[in-house]
Amino acid sequence: MASSSTSLKRFTREEVAKHNKENDLWIIIDSRVYDLTRFKNLHPGGANVLLDEGIPGQDATDAFFGLHRYEVLERPQYKRLQIGLIEGEEPQIHGRINGAISKVPYAEPTWLTDGYHSPYYTENHRRFQRAIREFFDEYLYPDAQAREADGKRPSQSVIDKMADLNIHAMRMGPGKHLKGLTLMNGLVKPEEFDYFHELIISQEIVRCGARGYGDGILGGCVIGLPPVLNFGSQELKAKIVPEVLSGKKFICLAISEAHAGSDVFGLQTTATKTEDGKHWIINGTKKWITNGTFADYFTVGCKTEDGFTVILVERGEGVETKPIKTAYSPTAGTAYITFDQVKVPVENTLGPEGGGIFVILSNFNHERWVMCCAVARSQRLVIEECLKWTNQRKAFGKPLNSQPVVRAKIAGMISRAESIQAWLENITHQMNNMSYKEQATKLAGPIAFLKSYSTRSAQETAADAVQIFGGRAITQSGMGRFIEHYHRTIPFDALLGGAEDVLADLGVRQAMRSIPKNARL
């Protein structure tokens, strides 16, 4: 294992150049000296690659970063190959630094960029962002990479650490549920917590670059618990909310069916009352339910005698969940759920009987807004990857970013990301200044438009990134692994919470209803 730079042996470049033979092979990568003599036959690309002209005894920095990500150098089996440093030089390239703000242009939203200003974010928001990023980089990022790969649910230890800081509670947005809680070790007071704090949490989670894990880390709670908070009885909330926000129990939103997705009134799951009127009997199925495989509670949309009703169902007799294999990791817990003669107390009804459409539509606003936060931020990950890659990748003897067509694609990516973030922050400001009921009335259309535009833009950005990375963008490891993952999983955002065309039409129909009766050309 290589030791710190202060204790490593120093070599001149002339000394390194002498070790240029098959049985005595050294190279330089970013001022670090590596002895590859014994490793060459173990090299995944074969020994001949290391014996190409300009590699043995030479500075192979450009050649290395044309083929590998920096994280390769940090793996123990390769790190131990380092034997020293070049005299008078220090490495200039580094990997992830927990909590750091990227200096790559447009990799961060404007408010986090040096020298820029914003009317929306206070100094408290900035301190909050630093603390959240450090926490997520330290705990969520490594767990996300591991779980996205092995498909297991997010580690309970990470969920517990988030609960200790009341992050699960903050992901529900501002509200009475925060009263009396200590948020981020007291960094923000419950009465000061606003939607920009929640936006920060939603956008920082995305930086883990693992879409399935992003949903798996209690995405079901973000969309399944608000109906309980806003429409459940005091007794129900007293039982359910503490155990869910503490990470001891899990909840999901069960609306979509094989028969109906965006068409909420087309749902076929039924709830009928027992003769004594004390219980619901629920029958039906739900499909593509995030966190459903490990949920303890299900916020279920049902067809009832007087319309559409939302009911909280606890896992028990008659409830069966099966995993659904999708394009992203099983860590999301995507499920097919069967309700067979499930008996539920009528006290578990959320909102008025037959009034479930208002419960769901008001919940959709927050769900879609959270998705907009995520989609806006994820596009910046792609921009950063593309800017780095086109700067270091050589094609036709020049950096890839010397090609006008490549620069045009990146220009489109940046323009879309900046416009989405600006629109998102405007809507977030409106949310901070509207009641929950006002949001449901006035923001359904704008949020629907934003989500439709965001996800369509994201798919265009994904397609452009694939062209920039080429074959690497269809490979699940190596230089293009984040691009491959993004391109494969971005359709989830275009469908979850409502398909693009349906949402765009919703926005237009809301606008049509608001046209003044005397409006004429």
Side-chain angles (χ1 to χ4, degrees):
M1 182 71 68
S3 51
S4 66
S5 60
T6 55
S7 61
L8 285 170
K9 188 173 181 181
R10 297 280 176 165
F11 302 95
T12 64
R13 288 181 176 268
E14 290 73 23
E15 287 177 295
V16 175
K18 297 174 183 177
H19 301 269
N20 60 2
K21 300 178 179 62
E22 186 174 355
N23 60 353
D24 183 18
L25 177 58
W26 292 11
I27 66 169
I28 302 167
I29 300 175
D30 187 33
S31 301
R32 298 178 175 89
V33 180
Y34 294 85
D35 184 349
L36 306 184
T37 307
R38 295 182 178 180
F39 167 74
K40 64 181 184 300
N41 291 323
L42 301 175
H43 184 253
N48 287 339
V49 174
L50 301 176
L51 299 173
D52 285 348
E53 184 180 354
I55 302 298
Q58 302 300 310
D59 191 323
T61 301
D62 287 347
F64 176 85
F65 285 109
L67 296 168
H68 304 289
R69 303 181 73 91
Y70 181 87
E71 62 199 46
V72 171
L73 297 177
E74 296 181 313
R75 294 174 187 166
Q77 67 268 39
Y78 303 131
K79 200 171 183 179
R80 66 177 181 233
L81 300 175
Q82 185 182 353
I83 59 173
L85 291 165
I86 295 299
E87 186 70 45
E89 299 181 17
E90 293 294 335
Q92 300 299 307
I93 304 170
H94 58 77
R96 289 178 63 94
I97 299 175
N98 287 353
I101 298 293
S102 176
K103 299 301 180 183
V104 176
Y106 302 102
E108 303 281 4
T110 305
W111 75 278
L112 290 176
T113 305
D114 287 343
Y116 286 82
H117 309 278
S118 170
Y120 300 122
Y121 301 92
T122 65
E123 184 55 38
N124 183 265
H125 289 123
R126 296 180 184 278
R127 291 197 301 270
F128 184 80
Q129 183 276 329
R130 286 193 292 270
I132 285 288
R133 179 167 295 192
E134 287 175 4
F135 177 84
F136 285 174
D137 283 356
E138 182 175 356
Y139 297 109
L140 257 73
Y141 182 81
D143 193 50
Q145 304 313 305
R147 300 292 78 78
E148 190 77 20
D150 65 22
K152 296 178 182 178
R153 58 190 278 187
S155 300
Q156 187 63 41
S157 61
V158 174
I159 292 171
D160 290 343
K161 284 183 171 66
M162 292 173 71
D164 290 342
L165 298 172
N166 283 307
I167 292 176
H168 304 312
M170 290 187 283
R171 293 180 73 191
M172 300 301 104
K176 296 177 182 178
H177 62 284
L178 298 180
K179 187 176 181 180
L181 300 182
T182 301
L183 310 180
M184 287 304 291
N185 292 322
L187 188 59
V188 56
K189 296 177 181 177
E191 62 271 20
E192 294 175 349
F193 186 89
D194 65 14
Y195 285 107
F196 281 104
H197 288 100
E198 188 189 354
L199 179 150
I200 289 167
I201 296 173
S202 298
Q203 295 205 322
E204 291 297 326
I205 286 176
V206 174
R207 295 181 61 258
C208 68
R211 184 64 183 80
Y213 184 89
D215 278 355
I217 193 72
L218 307 197
C221 176
V222 174
I223 59 178
L225 190 60
V228 179
L229 284 171
N230 293 307
F231 298 98
S233 67
Q234 291 302 320
E235 295 75 18
L236 194 65
K237 286 189 283 188
K239 177 183 184 294
I240 306 299
V241 174
E243 57 186 11
V244 170
L245 295 185
S246 65
K248 306 305 181 194
K249 292 288 185 72
F250 306 102
I251 191 170
C252 67
L253 180 67
I255 301 296
S256 296
E257 300 177 358
H259 318 284
S262 300
D263 177 17
V264 174
F265 284 110
L267 299 177
Q268 296 185 18
T269 295
T270 61
T272 56
K273 280 188 178 177
T274 55
E275 287 187 11
D276 59 11
K278 294 182 178 180
H279 293 85
W280 292 107
I281 302 299
I282 299 177
N283 287 284
T285 60
K286 299 292 179 180
K287 196 172 185 179
W288 305 293
I289 306 305
T290 302
N291 296 178
T293 59
F294 55 81
D296 301 289
Y297 298 107
F298 307 83
T299 300
V300 185
C302 302
K303 183 189 294 184
T304 54
E305 186 178 6
D306 48 4
F308 175 71
T309 304
V310 180
I311 304 167
L312 182 72
V313 179
E314 187 170 1
R315 184 184 286 271
E317 186 178 355
V319 178
E320 182 182 4
T321 59
K322 297 177 182 178
I324 297 176
K325 188 174 183 179
T326 67
Y328 68 9
S329 173
T331 190
T334 309
Y336 182 84
I337 306 173
T338 302
F339 298 104
D340 184 11
Q341 294 292 110
V342 180
K343 194 174 184 180
V344 182
V346 292
E347 288 79 12
N348 284 26
T349 305
L350 303 177
E353 293 181 23
I357 192 63
F358 180 75
V359 176
I360 292 305
L361 290 181
S362 58
N363 191 60
F364 271 150
N365 273 356
H366 183 258
E367 175 186 359
R368 291 163 181 165
W369 173 80
V370 169
M371 294 184 70
C372 291
C373 294
V375 174
R377 192 62 182 80
S378 65
Q379 291 181 60
R380 293 188 186 277
L381 294 176
V382 176
I383 291 169
E384 182 171 16
E385 292 282 303
C386 288
L387 283 172
K388 287 178 178 178
W389 174 243
T390 58
N391 196 49
Q392 67 193 64
R393 169 68 168 168
K394 299 290 194 302
F396 307 107
K398 297 179 180 179
L400 199 58
N401 58 17
S402 68
Q403 304 293 331
V405 66
V406 171
R407 296 198 299 271
K409 289 184 183 297
I410 294 175
M413 293 179 185
I414 293 170
S415 300
R416 291 188 289 270
E418 289 294 313
S419 63
I420 292 166
Q421 183 74 18
W423 194 356
L424 172 65
E425 289 176 350
N426 177 281
I427 286 179
T428 305
H429 179 65
Q430 307 310 317
M431 292 167 66
N432 272 345
N433 291 279
M434 290 183 184
S435 67
Y436 193 78
K437 191 171 184 178
E438 283 180 307
Q439 291 177 35
T441 303
K442 295 182 178 180
L443 294 183
I447 291 175
F449 278 135
L450 176 58
K451 183 181 179 295
S452 178
Y453 173 69
S454 298
T455 57
R456 192 157 293 179
S457 295
Q459 291 182 87
E460 190 174 346
T461 289
D464 283 346
V466 168
Q467 294 301 311
I468 288 173
F469 271 78
R472 290 170 175 82
I474 56 172
T475 307
Q476 291 190 11
S477 60
M479 300 297 281
R481 69 185 181 93
F482 286 111
I483 303 303
E484 185 281 330
H485 179 86
Y486 187 76
H487 185 257
R488 171 164 45 89
T489 61
I490 193 58
F492 283 80
D493 294 312
L495 295 173
L496 301 181
E500 288 174 354
D501 292 338
V502 173
L503 294 185
D505 185 60
L506 166 65
V508 173
R509 285 188 288 110
Q510 279 220 337
M512 289 169 61
R513 285 197 294 269
S514 298
I515 297 175
K517 294 186 182 300
N518 63 349
R520 297 290 186 275
L521 291 177

